Amino acid sequence: MTLLEELNSRSNNGNMSSKLFILAQEVTETVTDHLKLINQQLPEFDIHDASHSKKIIGNMEGLMRSEVIKRLSSYEIFLLYMSGYLHDCAMALPAWEHHLLRMTEGMVGFTSNDLVNPIANDGKVPYKLSKALDYIKSNSIKLYNSYEMIKSYIFLSQNENELHRDMAERLVEYQQFRNGYSEELKQKAETGSVKSYLEYSDLIRYEYIRVTHAQRVEKYVRNLSSLFQERIGGVWGEALAKDLAIICRSHGESLEYIKRLEVQAGYFGEETANLQFVAVMLRIADILHFSHDRAPKSLFAEKMIHSKESLLHWKAKFQGVNYTLDEVDGNGKIKIKYMAYCDEPSLYYFILEYLDWIDFEIGNYFLFYQDMQYNIQTSHLADKYKLQIANKVDRSQIKYDENSFMPVDNLSFTLNQKKILELLMGVGLYKNKFLCLRELYQNALDACRCMISMLDNRHGKIKGNIEFGLGQCIENNKTRTYLYCLDNGIGMTRETIVKYFLNIGNSFYKSKDFQQKNAAWGRNFKPTSQFGIGILSCFMIGDKLEITTKALTDDEKNGEIVRFSIDGPHEHFYYMKPDELDIEKIEQHGTLIKVFLNDDIIIFNDNIEQLDLAIHGQNKEIYRDKNIEFFNRWKNHLFYIIYDSIAIPNNNVDINIKMEGDKEASLEPWITPFDVIAYDISDIKLMYSDYRYFSDGYNPIDDYIRSKPFIDTRAVKITSEDVEYHYLFSLPLAGFSECDYRILLFEKALFKESTILVDGIAVGDYNRLKFDFNENRDLIRNGTIEFVEVPLTARDFARLEKIELKLFDARKLSRTAELILFGKIFMAEYVQVCETNVTVESKTFRELGSFGRESFNNNLPGFVVKADKWLGQYEEYDLVSSLWPVIPEKLYCSLNDDFEVVKIGERVKTVGNYGNSQIDKCVS
């Protein structure tokens, strides 16, 4: 007997069963049309219409059989039947809501042509609810015309104000959801393909509808309250609609959600309903409908499916998947038996994994039944809901093409976690065990920068703070030393700890959760690149981690203080009661990480009076040799260990090293000019006593120290897209009297002068960079020279005997144009500069590769070209940046030949480095 037949058999002269039967038929008839919208709006999904609902109800009936159905109350039968039809109704949106979602999709230049004045909010801050409400109200006529015209919609809100509120909440929620895909959408936009962007945009909408339909269906079904009250009467109709709503929602929730439902929900009369049983039956019956009838090939041929997951579901059902509930096993239990014939191994294993999911839901039923049995209050009701079903799916008829593959169950690659971790933490990845502290800094920096992004718009300029130090505590009657890292960043919630902190490789900053938050803050925060295996690397120097953290929340009320410990990479994780001293250090928000050091790890933090001298002197062998004892300790000093990785501290985050006696030392950029006159001259002279120019043995240290007050040195930063170049640049001041330009080149940085950095963190040796240039990639457009008034071919340009370059700017020349032009100028008989015009008289063209001690073909070195006349407004200047490397004759003559300057013609000299100009006292 079917559910509806049983309910009808109990109908008698308008009793409750009769009312429920009539209501079920009425709702079913209306919902059938609504369900047809699912495959229109979600074309990638398999069939979810009324045929799917009927199959679910049939599965319920097949599992319960008539004997169980007859034991159920009329309310339970009604709820089972209606949940089969209504649980997926939120996967189809009313036309106005579907249009609203499409309106907010996209960004400028990437919207659908059929949308008029779209919101196009991708990557932007989601609307506030008030703004969303204003938008809905002002566009209500465009969206749904009038409330009266849509009153026939079965799931319509009770009044127009509720409708506006619901649509506004949906708009904000969808904007937040899409921001979880901000990076992917940005990448699609960068390709310039509107088609690709919109296809991906559709997939996001499908995913939003799928992921949220279980939550949204509760509101949909609750909107049936008026109908239920009208048909059943009074508050009981509203109560029944509410319970049906939460049952429908339960098919997308956890088992814990179901356990909170009532097992004896009362309505009108003596009968009750076991909502847990109904919810469990809905889940099993729904998941059982995995068969070829949901994915007919004729329908598939009409679709353009882009989602790999959707495509896998369709293809799996093409393997002839079907099932039966008509057989019983040797114990009299109903078999849940599946059949399929697979010609692809991936589909074979996909089907088996799906059947594992069914086994899991069957197991949930048995857990429900056991809870009923062993609960004193419900044990007398348990047998009413006892199903005679097998506890596992029968897979005996899942066949495969033996000519294609031979599957082996439970055999695949396995990872020995302990060995993998030991391998990752070995010297092969890190080279230096103390580089693990770079990971601590990276995490703290990201947390601080994230905090700044979150609060900057609310409180103005916010500074981050990171502190490293050493501490001690008593553990098991033993004094333990720990290294700590304290930051005032965003901190962590318990959820963040479990999902991301403990999950190696699963970065919070790359998650959909974070992308949504980042867009909501209206910032473009990008995390520091990850170099290794994260926090796990700290076990290279320690055997235990202890973390105390307090999260910064969106409402700024901030989260709870959480303290936890990890006793080694292979050991247990556990929570601890927070320490009051640690709470004081963290204050409003942030994280304190303590690394309890291994016995063989020695780290010092004693105070160093002349810290900059130690930093600078460590790279000078002759100075180190004189201070051997100090530098033997220095390599294990906390300041050095940290500073060796952090070359350029973030401008918005202060970094301090806590020394003995609570003294602090802050980190300065490596490129900071080293102030030689601030220290004992004998130390400085010792450091550079073996410094010599190869060409003449010149040591500029004495001249440099004497001239230092008359030299202005700046740390310069050049930025191009995502690359920065930092260097020191020196210029003479009034009173500078030295003639040797090399004094201006002598300025030294505080620490290392060349290295590769990522977000200010040292990651490699500068010498490992290879600058590759292929001039064939730098072609002149249309084969013509375009820096002359009349475009010429390169061949014709080389044949010219006189060239007039108007408004000349050498900085704008392409690499190829530079090679051609200076190939002409280098052989010139006469060069004149007047204002910004350059006149060149040259009968000869030579390839630059034939010049000098280096090849010009691969990497053009520094050079200067003598101008015979230097006229006009720049006559008093020796250098004009737009004219460089053309210079006046007096400056050209002042550049004397040595190792750095080589004359290679009557008009040209090479200079080894013109980043810090080889200029003497002639400079104006």
Side-chain angles (χ1 to χ4, degrees), residues 346-404:
S346 60
L347 300 178
Y348 172 81
Y349 285 110
F350 175 78
I351 292 171
L352 292 186
E353 288 173 3
Y354 190 92
L355 300 186
D356 288 341
W357 184 14
I358 298 176
D359 285 344
F360 176 76
E361 291 298 340
I362 295 172
N364 284 342
Y365 160 74
F366 284 108
L367 288 174
F368 152 77
Y369 180 70
Q370 289 174 8
D371 288 344
M372 291 286 294
Q373 269 188 314
Y374 297 114
N375 188 314
I376 296 175
Q377 296 178 330
T378 60
S379 59
H380 64 289
L381 300 173
D383 285 346
K384 177 180 178 181
Y385 305 105
K386 185 175 182 180
L387 303 182
Q388 299 297 324
I389 62 174
N391 60 4
K392 295 284 185 182
V393 171
D394 183 339
R395 310 168 188 230
S396 61
Q397 296 304 307
I398 305 297
K399 304 293 186 178
Y400 52 86
D401 184 353
E402 295 182 2
N403 293 322
S404 297

Side-chain angles (χ1 to χ4, degrees), residues 480-604:
R480 295 293 309 271
T481 299
Y482 59 81
L483 182 149
Y484 71 82
C485 176
L486 171 68
D487 68 67
N488 69 334
I490 57 170
M492 295 181 286
T493 63
R494 289 179 185 264
E495 180 184 14
T496 305
I497 293 167
V498 173
K499 288 178 65 176
Y500 303 108
F501 185 85
L502 295 175
N503 198 340
I504 303 302
N506 191 22
S507 171
F508 169 66
Y509 299 107
K510 296 178 182 178
S511 68
K512 296 288 184 286
D513 293 339
F514 176 73
Q515 287 190 50
Q516 291 175 3
K517 289 178 180 290
N518 196 23
W521 301 332
R523 306 297 291 262
N524 189 26
F525 169 78
K526 292 183 178 179
T528 305
S529 301
Q530 185 164 317
F531 306 116
I533 56 174
I535 195 68
L536 196 63
S537 63
C538 290
F539 288 111
M540 295 171 64
I541 62 171
D543 59 11
K544 173 183 175 182
L545 295 180
E546 187 179 291
I547 296 97
T548 304
T549 185
K550 185 178 183 181
L552 171 63
T553 57
D554 290 329
D555 59 9
E556 296 185 49
K557 293 181 180 178
N558 301 331
E560 65 170 324
I561 289 281
V562 181
R563 182 186 179 200
F564 59 95
S565 181
I566 309 170
D567 295 344
H570 319 298
E571 303 302 326
H572 297 293
F573 166 95
Y574 52 89
Y575 290 108
M576 306 168 67
K577 181 181 178 180
D579 186 305
E580 284 296 328
L581 293 176
D582 294 341
I583 294 174
E584 288 181 10
K585 291 178 181 177
I586 291 176
E587 296 182 347
Q588 298 300 314
H589 48 80
T591 299
L592 171 64
I593 297 179
K594 298 178 181 179
V595 182
F596 286 79
L597 301 177
N598 295 328
D599 292 339
D600 62 336
I601 298 297
I602 306 297
I603 299 178
F604 305 104

Side-chain angles (χ1 to χ4, degrees), residues 511-745:
S511 68
K512 296 288 184 286
D513 293 339
F514 176 73
Q515 287 190 50
Q516 291 175 3
K517 289 178 180 290
N518 196 23
W521 301 332
R523 306 297 291 262
N524 189 26
F525 169 78
K526 292 183 178 179
T528 305
S529 301
Q530 185 164 317
F531 306 116
I533 56 174
I535 195 68
L536 196 63
S537 63
C538 290
F539 288 111
M540 295 171 64
I541 62 171
D543 59 11
K544 173 183 175 182
L545 295 180
E546 187 179 291
I547 296 97
T548 304
T549 185
K550 185 178 183 181
L552 171 63
T553 57
D554 290 329
D555 59 9
E556 296 185 49
K557 293 181 180 178
N558 301 331
E560 65 170 324
I561 289 281
V562 181
R563 182 186 179 200
F564 59 95
S565 181
I566 309 170
D567 295 344
H570 319 298
E571 303 302 326
H572 297 293
F573 166 95
Y574 52 89
Y575 290 108
M576 306 168 67
K577 181 181 178 180
D579 186 305
E580 284 296 328
L581 293 176
D582 294 341
I583 294 174
E584 288 181 10
K585 291 178 181 177
I586 291 176
E587 296 182 347
Q588 298 300 314
H589 48 80
T591 299
L592 171 64
I593 297 179
K594 298 178 181 179
V595 182
F596 286 79
L597 301 177
N598 295 328
D599 292 339
D600 62 336
I601 298 297
I602 306 297
I603 299 178
F604 305 104
N605 69 333
D606 49 308
N607 292 299
I608 299 175
E609 292 184 5
Q610 296 182 317
L611 188 58
D612 283 2
L613 191 65
I615 294 170
H616 191 69
Q618 66 183 302
N619 294 324
K620 308 297 183 288
E621 183 178 359
I622 193 169
Y623 185 75
R624 288 199 314 269
D625 290 344
K626 187 179 178 182
N627 299 276
I628 292 177
E629 183 177 348
F630 172 82
F631 282 107
N632 284 341
R633 285 173 58 88
W634 173 248
K635 291 296 183 181
N636 285 76
H637 196 281
L638 181 62
F639 187 94
Y640 171 77
I641 293 170
I642 302 298
Y643 194 50
D644 193 45
S645 292
I646 306 173
I648 303 177
N650 188 284
N651 289 333
N652 298 315
V653 181
D654 294 330
I655 308 169
N656 294 300
I657 310 298
K658 185 77 76 170
M659 306 290 213
E660 285 182 351
D662 282 341
K663 292 186 178 180
E664 292 184 350
S666 59
L667 267 60
E668 297 293 333
W670 288 3
I671 198 66
T672 302
F674 176 62
D675 189 0
V676 298
I677 60 177
Y679 301 97
D680 190 312
I681 296 300
S682 62
D683 286 327
I684 303 302
K685 288 186 175 182
L686 175 63
M687 287 183 191
Y688 291 98
S689 59
D690 58 352
Y691 189 97
R692 294 286 187 277
Y693 276 91
F694 180 78
S695 58
D696 58 5
Y698 174 58
N699 185 334
I701 186 63
D702 289 328
D703 292 339
Y704 175 76
I705 293 173
R706 184 172 56 255
S707 304
K708 176 61 178 173
F710 308 103
I711 299 174
D712 181 17
T713 302
R714 305 287 179 88
V716 180
K717 178 177 74 174
I718 298 175
T719 303
S720 176
E721 297 181 354
D722 293 331
V723 178
E724 293 180 357
Y725 178 65
H726 296 252
Y727 65 98
L728 294 180
F729 184 76
S730 297
L731 288 173
L733 300 173
F736 182 80
S737 60
E738 299 298 331
C739 294
D740 199 313
Y741 70 87
R742 289 177 289 187
I743 295 172
L744 294 174
L745 298 177

